[in-house]
Amino acid sequence: IPQDCLAFQTGEALELATAGRLRATPHCVRVGAGPGAESVTRETFALFMQPDVEQQISATETFGQFSKRIFDEHYTEGM
């Protein structure tokens, strides 16, 4: 990311809602190991914006259905 720019992480729901015109950002944070890496910082401000659960975000799924599907993929009972 250029020094004079901001980067925005977008999620899978936006990718579905735009039929792939915007792509979800892969979630991966790496600490650099090269020269000067100790002076690089990562600043985070999480701002979550989402549609109503009944909002259709693809031809076959509402945001509520999408959320449940993703939640079920990542979490199981007993965790």
Side-chain angles (χ1 to χ4, degrees):
I1 303 166
Q3 188 172 357
D4 61 343
C5 294
L6 290 175
F8 292 89
Q9 181 173 330
T10 61
E12 189 177 354
L14 185 60
E15 184 173 327
L16 289 172
T18 62
R21 287 186 300 261
L22 295 175
R23 302 292 309 267
T25 305
H27 293 66
C28 181
V29 177
R30 295 186 181 140
V31 177
E38 66 278 351
S39 65
V40 175
T41 65
R42 179 177 185 256
E43 311 302 326
T44 302
F45 175 79
L47 173 63
F48 296 94
M49 299 187 316
Q50 61 192 43
D52 184 79
V53 295
E54 298 301 322
Q55 177 70 42
Q56 199 75 28
I57 62 169
S58 74
T60 59
E61 205 167 37
T62 66
F63 183 71
Q65 292 165 328
F66 164 79
S67 297
K68 180 172 181 350
R69 177 173 59 80
I70 295 300
F71 187 85
D72 291 345
E73 286 176 14
H74 293 282
Y75 300 96
T76 59
E77 287 188 42
M79 288 188 87

